[in-house]
Amino acid sequence: WYNNYLKQIDKIDAFNKNYNDLHQLLINDDISFHNAYLKLDNLLDKEKSFNSELLKLTPPPNLTNENLTLVQNIINKTITFSNQQIQLINNSKALLDEKNLINKKRDEVILEFNKTSILDAPFSLNILGEVAKIKQNIHTAYKPIDKESK
């Protein structure tokens, strides 16, 4: 389960990288607003599809109640993070919609895009506490019995 989950994290990283690369292209004036809009639209479709996959994630069977709760917390945090990415992409895409670009200077649009990318960006996907606790629980549960202490 964990190895499959790490693949999901890799996808989240890829979405972040694609968004940040696009943002940099806009800042450097290496892409038109129209093409950036199309790339955001494509990224949004991929993120929504990914989010649908996340909604199907379930903890692996045969976990203790505590580990089951920890894994479910990890899944919930990941879904929340993905939802925040979707919101960021939606808001960024709206800024580049042709109807919202009327009578705006390029610098003004870039400034708004920068603000959105900062204010609407997902804060953090912090699952380290849950992962550490699960590892501790597994290690404790399968600790070999010390024969000398008998």
Side-chain angles (χ1 to χ4, degrees):
W1 182 89
Y2 187 67
N3 288 334
N4 287 334
Y5 177 75
L6 290 178
K7 291 176 187 174
Q8 303 299 334
I9 296 297
D10 288 343
K11 288 180 184 180
I12 286 175
D13 285 342
F15 292 132
N16 278 332
K17 182 180 181 333
N18 289 340
Y19 180 87
N20 290 328
D21 289 350
L22 179 65
H23 185 187
Q24 196 59 49
L25 289 171
L26 279 169
I27 289 171
N28 295 338
D29 201 11
D30 290 334
I31 191 170
S32 69
F33 290 150
H34 176 73
N35 286 338
Y37 178 90
L38 294 176
K39 285 187 177 282
L40 284 170
D41 193 46
N42 182 267
L43 184 60
L44 183 60
D45 286 344
K46 289 179 181 177
E47 180 79 34
K48 285 181 176 179
S49 175
F50 170 74
N51 195 271
S52 294
E53 291 175 32
L54 288 178
L55 293 172
K56 296 175 189 172
L57 283 179
T58 57
N62 303 324
L63 292 176
T64 64
N65 286 341
E66 182 180 9
N67 285 344
L68 179 73
T69 300
L70 291 167
V71 169
Q72 191 59 56
N73 287 345
I74 290 171
I75 292 169
N76 291 343
K77 284 182 176 185
T78 307
I79 291 168
T80 298
F81 190 88
S82 179
N83 286 333
Q84 291 170 343
Q85 282 185 312
I86 288 171
Q87 187 64 42
L88 169 64
I89 297 167
N90 263 328
N91 293 348
S92 299
K93 186 179 149 193
L95 290 171
L96 300 181
D97 191 318
E98 288 180 6
K99 67 182 178 208
N100 294 328
L101 295 175
I102 299 171
N103 298 325
K104 287 189 180 176
K105 295 180 182 176
R106 183 183 188 291
D107 290 344
E108 188 180 348
V109 174
I110 296 299
L111 180 62
E112 288 179 29
F113 197 94
N114 289 342
K115 286 180 185 177
T116 296
S117 69
I118 292 168
L119 297 176
D120 295 344
F123 178 69
S124 171
L125 178 55
N126 186 356
I127 57 169
L128 294 177
E130 287 89 348
V131 171
K133 185 66 177 158
I134 291 168
K135 286 181 179 180
Q136 178 186 354
N137 291 346
I138 291 171
H139 178 70
T140 303
Y142 297 106
K143 192 173 187 178
I145 299 173
D146 184 4
K147 293 180 183 179
E148 293 177 15
S149 64
K150 286 187 168 184

